[in-house]
Amino acid sequence: MGIAEVALHTMPGAFAAHSPAYNLPHGADARRRKRNTNSVSNARALQGLLKIPRLRSVQLQCQRIDDLARVTEGNGTWVKDAMNNASQVLGDASVPDQAVGGNGSLNGNTNKPPPQRRKTSSVDDEAWELLQESMVYYCGSPVGTIAANDPNDSDPMNYDQVFIRDFIPSGIAFLLKGEYEIVRNFILHTLQLQTMDCHSPGQGLMPASFKVRTIPLDGDEDATEEVLDPDFGEAAIGRVAPVDSGLWWIILLRAYGKCSGDLSVQERIDVQTGMKMILKLCLADGFDMFPTLLVTDGSCMIDRRMGIHGHPLEIQALFYSALLCAREMLTPEDGSADLIRALNNRLIALSFHIREYYWLDMQKLNEIYRYKTEEYSYDAVNKFNIYPDQIPPWLVEWIPPKGGYFIGNLQPAHMDFRFFSLGNLWSIVSSLATTQQSHAILDLIESKWSDLVAEMPLKICYPALENQEWKIITGSDPKNTPWSYHNGGSWPTLLWQLTVACIKMNRPELAAKAIEVAERRIATDKWPEYYDTKRARFIGKQARLYQTWSIAGFLVAKLLIEKPDAARILWNDEDAEILNAFSTNRKRGKKVLKKTYIV
C-alpha cells in the first residue's frame, strides 16, 4: 500500500470534524460514537507517524474540506490545495454564520412553530425555493439536502437525513444552476464516510445516508463538536446495505467535473483511491457465473422486499454507467492497469448479457413461448432453463407490437417480466441499451402512457404485485400494497431520468408532455414522495410531503428541457471499444473475454 493509500485509510472517515452544537441521545448513536473515537485514535497515531495533517481541535472549529483532507503523493510531497485550482470555476462562495439544517434550525431539528411557505410566482420558483430550504450545513458549508422537509411532520423518522441516492437530482439541479459548492462538498464529505475497515460492511461501501449531529466534546462540558453520522444500512428498515450509493457517487462525480470544469476534485488522490475502492468492491470475484452484480432485495431505490434480489436491472444499469464514468476519470498509473483491464472485460460481458438476455419485445416473447427446456449443452438456446409457463397472462395482452423493454431480473429458471422504469431509463442514458433498443423503450412508454404515466409520471414498476403473489413476495408488506409505494406507485422524481433519456434519443417532446402532466398538480399537492392507484390519482397513503427529490426531479427536468445540451453531463455515448469487441466476437465466433462469464 502506498503512502497516499495509507493516508486515505487513516483519514477519520465517518468520525467527522469538530464544531459547536448540542446533545446526542444515548443508545446506538452513543455506541457508534465510542467506536468512532477508537478509530480516530488509531488514525491519529498513524497520521503522526506519517506526518499527515489530522483534524484540528475544536478551538479552530470547522475548516473547509480541503484543509481536512490533504494527502500525500507517492513521492511524499503535498498535493496542492484543490480549492486554489477550482476557485476560478466555483468562485468564493459565501458561508453562513451558523450551521443550519434543512428546516432552518440546527441540524434539521426544531421545536419552533413550522415556517409559513410564502407564495411564489411560478411552480419553478417555488421548487427552487423549497430546494434551497432543504439544504443541510456542516462546518458552515452546505453538504446536501434532507430527504423531506414538511414543516408539519412531527415524526420525520430518517427523512431528515441526507440520502446519497436522493441527493443526486438535487446535486444535478445545483450544477445546472451554477451552484457547485454544495455538490463538491457532498462528494468529498461522503468520501470521508466510505468504509475503510476490511470487515463488514465491505471495504469501499458508501453509506445510504448521513446526518449532521452535534455532541458534547470529550473532557469539556461546555464545548460541543459537529459530526457526520452515517448509516450503512444498519439502522435502515430491513438492514440492507445500499449497493447503489457508490455507483451514484461516481456518476455525480463525473457530472460535477463536466458541468463545473473543475477536474481537480476527480484528480485528487483521495478521490481516485475512493473510486478504486468502489470498483474493487463491485468487481470482486465471487461464486456468481454472470457478469451482472448479485445483490440482495432492497439494495437500491426499491429498498424494501419486492422480489428484486438477484440481478435487478436498476443495479446493472447503474453499474454499467459507473464503470464507464470511472474509466473516463481514472488517472493512468501503473497500479491501475489491472483494474482498468478488469473494468473493460466486465463492460463487454455486461453489455452483451443485458442486451441479449434481458431484452423483451413481441418477437422475443414468442421465442420464449416456444422454448424447449432441460437443454444440456454449451450452445443451448434456453440457457437459463426458463419455463414458458412463467409468461404471465397480463404480459401477453400488454406488450405492444412496436416497442420493447429490459425485464426486471434474470436468474436460473426465473425471469421477472415486470417493467422497471429507472433501470430501463438509465439503460438508455448509459448506452447499455443499443440505439434501437433505446427507441423501443421510449416507444413502449409512449404506447403505454395511460399505464406508466397517467395522471402523474412515472410508475416505478408495472404491474403491481397483487393477491397471493403480493403476500408471498412482499411478505404482506402494508406499505407496498398493490399500486402503492414501490409496488406500482408513481414517483415524480423519475421525471428527470425520463427527460435525460428522451433528450439523448432526440425525443424531448415526450419528456415535455410528462412534465406538463406533473406541473398540473404536483405543487398543489405539496410535492409528494409518491402517488397511489393505477392511474396515480391519489397522493400516496404514507407519502411524505415536500419530498426533496420530487422537487429536484421536477426542477432538473424543466432545466434540461430549456437547455437540452446540458444533459450531456449525465449520459454516456456508445462505447467504441465495446462495439469493436462485439464485431470481433461475431466475425471470429469466439469469446473475447479472458474471464469466464455466461454470455
Side-chain angles (χ1 to χ4, degrees):
M1 182 181 295
I3 294 178
E5 289 181 285
V6 172
L8 179 67
H9 280 251
T10 58
M11 285 169 58
F15 351 107
H18 306 275
S19 177
Y22 58 87
N23 293 329
L24 178 71
H26 295 289
D29 292 318
R31 289 193 296 272
R32 175 179 294 158
R33 174 61 187 162
K34 183 177 180 181
R35 183 183 69 209
N36 288 348
T37 302
N38 295 334
S39 300
V40 172
S41 300
N42 294 336
R44 287 173 178 170
L46 284 171
Q47 285 171 331
L49 291 173
L50 293 170
K51 298 183 179 180
I52 296 170
R54 63 176 177 82
L55 228 50
R56 298 288 183 179
S57 64
V58 70
Q59 284 78 12
L60 296 180
Q61 297 188 353
C62 290
Q63 298 184 20
R64 300 185 69 88
I65 185 69
D66 300 277
D67 299 323
L68 303 177
R70 294 181 185 229
V71 291
T72 59
E73 294 177 337
N75 59 7
T77 59
W78 294 112
V79 180
K80 186 177 180 180
D81 192 346
M83 179 56 74
N84 293 334
N85 297 333
S87 60
Q88 293 181 352
V89 179
L90 302 178
D92 294 326
S94 60
V95 178
D97 294 331
Q98 188 180 28
V100 296
N103 56 10
S105 65
L106 282 170
N107 307 307
N109 296 290
T110 182
N111 294 318
K112 296 179 180 179
Q116 297 296 316
R117 304 286 188 195
R118 69 179 182 85
K119 294 183 179 179
T120 50
S121 58
S122 71
V123 176
D124 297 24
D125 292 339
E126 179 185 343
W128 183 241
E129 180 182 299
L130 292 171
L131 183 61
Q132 290 176 311
E133 287 179 10
S134 73
M135 291 167 66
V136 173
Y137 289 83
Y138 171 64
C139 302
S141 298
V143 292
T145 53
I146 56 175
N149 194 24
D150 184 357
N152 298 309
D153 189 353
S154 60
D155 182 21
M157 290 182 65
N158 59 348
Y159 282 77
D160 61 350
Q161 298 188 22
V162 180
F163 281 81
I164 273 67
R165 74 173 68 94
D166 290 40
F167 180 74
I168 302 304
S170 297
I172 301 302
F174 286 119
L175 290 177
L176 295 175
K177 284 281 191 176
E179 298 195 11
Y180 306 132
E181 183 195 17
I182 184 173
V183 181
R184 185 176 185 279
N185 291 340
F186 173 86
I187 288 169
L188 294 175
H189 278 300
T190 49
L191 176 66
Q192 285 188 301
L193 301 178
Q194 189 180 34
T195 54
M196 301 299 176
D197 294 334
C198 298
H199 311 294
S200 179
Q203 188 180 23
L205 180 71
M206 285 290 188
S209 63
F210 66 85
K211 182 168 180 159
V212 179
R213 298 187 188 277
T214 308
I215 64 175
L217 185 63
D218 294 339
D220 190 341
E221 295 180 357
D222 298 325
T224 58
E225 62 179 347
E226 205 171 60
V227 299
L228 294 181
D229 184 18
D231 176 16
F232 291 91
E234 67 266 46
I237 298 170
R239 305 300 192 264
V240 179
V243 178
D244 62 338
S245 289
L247 306 177
W248 277 123
W249 184 87
I250 290 175
I251 293 167
L252 182 64
L253 175 63
R254 173 180 178 263
Y256 169 81
K258 282 187 166 292
C259 191
S260 69
D262 173 22
L263 302 182
S264 66
V265 173
Q266 67 189 47
E267 292 170 354
R268 289 170 52 135
I269 294 178
D270 54 342
V271 173
Q272 287 284 315
T273 306
M275 187 160 43
K276 290 174 185 176
M277 289 171 65
I278 295 171
L279 295 174
K280 288 176 181 178
L281 182 63
C282 293
L283 295 171
D285 291 334
F287 292 104
D288 204 15
M289 291 292 292
F290 310 130
T292 42
L293 270 183
L294 178 64
V295 301
T296 60
D297 215 340
S299 56
C300 52
M301 178 181 177
I302 297 178
D303 57 3
R304 297 169 75 94
R305 181 175 163 189
M306 271 290 293
I308 64 166
H309 56 278
H311 308 87
L313 176 65
E314 177 180 332
I315 289 293
Q316 314 316 322
L318 293 174
F319 181 35
Y320 185 81
S321 181
L323 290 178
L324 287 175
C325 292
R327 188 176 66 178
E328 188 176 314
M329 294 185 290
L330 283 171
T331 55
E333 56 184 44
D334 294 340
S336 299
D338 290 341
L339 180 62
I340 293 174
R341 190 179 302 111
L343 187 154
N344 285 329
N345 286 340
R346 194 63 166 264
L347 279 169
I348 296 169
L350 180 61
S351 58
F352 181 87
H353 187 86
I354 296 294
R355 293 174 181 183
E356 186 72 14
Y357 302 124
Y358 276 61
W359 183 250
L360 188 71
D361 55 16
M362 182 66 83
Q363 179 182 347
K364 182 67 175 181
L365 185 62
N366 203 166
E367 290 178 15
I368 297 171
Y369 179 74
R370 292 169 53 83
Y371 266 169
K372 294 179 181 179
T373 59
E374 315 301 330
E375 293 181 287
Y376 180 79
S377 68
Y378 289 105
D379 56 354
V381 175
N382 186 3
K383 290 181 172 60
F384 302 95
N385 201 35
I386 303 299
Y387 299 106
D389 287 346
Q390 288 183 21
I391 299 174
W394 67 264
L395 180 61
V396 177
E397 303 300 326
W398 189 74
I399 195 163
K402 180 185 178 184
Y405 67 99
F406 289 124
I407 60 173
N409 212 326
L410 176 64
Q411 300 182 69
H414 172 68
M415 276 184 163
D416 185 345
F417 290 101
R418 287 175 291 175
F419 174 87
F420 289 86
S421 295
L422 177 52
N424 275 278
L425 292 175
W426 211 258
S427 294
I428 297 174
V429 174
S430 65
S431 292
L432 178 57
T434 66
T435 301
Q436 183 178 356
Q437 288 171 335
S438 297
H439 279 295
I441 293 169
L442 295 181
D443 287 340
L444 180 133
I445 292 173
E446 190 169 24
S447 174
K448 297 298 176 180
W449 192 264
S450 60
D451 292 329
L452 302 176
V453 178
E455 297 184 31
M456 179 59 66
L458 186 64
K459 285 292 178 200
I460 191 171
C461 67
Y462 184 92
L465 300 171
E466 299 182 285
N467 304 319
Q468 193 68 16
E469 192 177 30
W470 166 74
K471 291 181 180 179
I472 294 171
I473 293 178
T474 73
S476 301
D477 187 348
K479 193 168 185 177
N480 271 332
T481 52
W483 306 109
S484 180
Y485 201 50
H486 297 142
N487 189 16
S490 297
W491 292 69
T493 187
L494 294 171
L495 191 59
W496 77 272
Q497 286 105 330
L498 174 64
T499 303
V500 177
C502 290
I503 291 173
K504 181 174 186 279
M505 302 314 299
N506 198 27
R507 296 171 67 169
E509 69 284 349
L510 194 62
K513 183 180 175 184
I515 292 170
E516 184 181 352
V517 171
E519 199 164 8
R520 290 174 194 159
R521 59 181 293 203
I522 192 168
T524 304
D525 291 342
K526 300 179 181 179
W527 306 92
E529 180 183 10
Y530 64 93
Y531 287 78
D532 284 355
T533 74
K534 269 191 175 184
R535 292 188 53 81
R537 301 195 71 182
F538 294 166
I539 296 172
K541 58 187 174 183
Q542 295 188 43
R544 302 287 169 147
L545 302 181
Y546 298 104
Q547 182 80 12
T548 303
W549 70 351
S550 295
I551 296 164
F554 175 82
L555 262 180
V556 171
K558 290 294 292 286
L559 290 168
L560 291 179
I561 283 294
E562 293 171 4
K563 296 181 179 179
D565 286 345
R568 292 183 178 276
I569 67 172
L570 293 163
W571 78 56
N572 305 101
D573 292 318
E574 184 80 63
D575 188 83
E577 292 183 32
I578 293 175
L579 286 176
N580 182 59
F582 283 155
S583 176
T584 304
N585 190 29
R586 291 191 182 97
K587 289 178 181 177
R588 297 179 181 176
K590 297 179 181 178
K591 291 183 179 179
V592 296
L593 306 176
K594 293 183 180 180
K595 184 174 177 64
T596 301
Y597 293 111
I598 295 179
V599 298

